[in-house]
Each structure stands twice: as structure tokens, then as C-alpha cells.
């Protein structure tokens, strides 16, 4: 059963590596600025053709934790 253990290890490494690579690619696209990523997400939702989707505030759920 050593083979199945190594398969799981390799799968885990590939999954984590792929996620890290995609994270770096997105950060590079937005100039390593997380605020720019959030702003682009909000702009994308606000520019939607569907009225219900355009009315959503993507950043509202997290905004409640920023105030003290």
C-alpha cells in the first residue's frame, strides 16, 4: 500500500502547488495589490446586466469587521 500513499502525497503537492501558482498569477495581474483585486470584483458585479446581481455589494460582509 505504499504506492497509494505516494499517489496521495503527489496529488496533495500538485494541488497546493497549483493553487499557489494561480494565487501568484492573480496577484501579479493586479500589481500585488489586494485592494485592487477587491475593487475589480466589485466593479465586475456592479457592471452586470442583471439588476439583482448589479445591486449586490460584494465587500459588505467583510466591511462589518473593519470597524471598531
Amino acid at each position: 500500500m505504499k504506492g497509494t500513499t505516494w499517489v496521495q502525497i503527489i496529488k496533495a503537492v500538485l494541488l497546493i502547488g497549483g493553487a499557489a501558482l494561480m494565487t501568484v498569477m492573480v496577484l501579479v495581474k493586479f500589481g500585488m495589490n489586494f485592494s485592487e483585486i477587491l475593487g475589480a470584483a466589485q466593479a465586475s458585479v456592479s457592471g452586470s446586466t442583471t439588476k439583482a446581481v448589479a445591486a449586490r455589494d460584494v465587500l459588505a460582509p467583510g466591511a462589518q469587521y473593519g470597524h471598531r
Side-chain angles (χ1 to χ4, degrees):
M1 300 303 280
K2 284 184 179 182
T4 56
T5 301
W6 281 107
V7 168
Q8 294 299 320
I9 291 170
I10 292 168
K11 283 173 39 178
V13 168
L14 289 174
L15 182 65
I16 293 169
L21 177 66
M22 287 189 287
T23 300
V24 169
M25 288 170 51
V26 169
L27 284 171
V28 167
K29 179 178 179 179
F30 288 97
M32 301 300 238
N33 187 352
F34 190 67
S35 294
E36 187 71 27
I37 295 171
L38 294 175
Q42 182 64 51
S44 176
V45 169
S46 297
S48 176
T49 57
T50 308
K51 194 181 284 188
V53 173
R56 292 181 188 158
D57 186 7
V58 175
L59 304 177
Q64 64 184 346
Y65 298 108
H67 302 290
R68 288 187 180 210

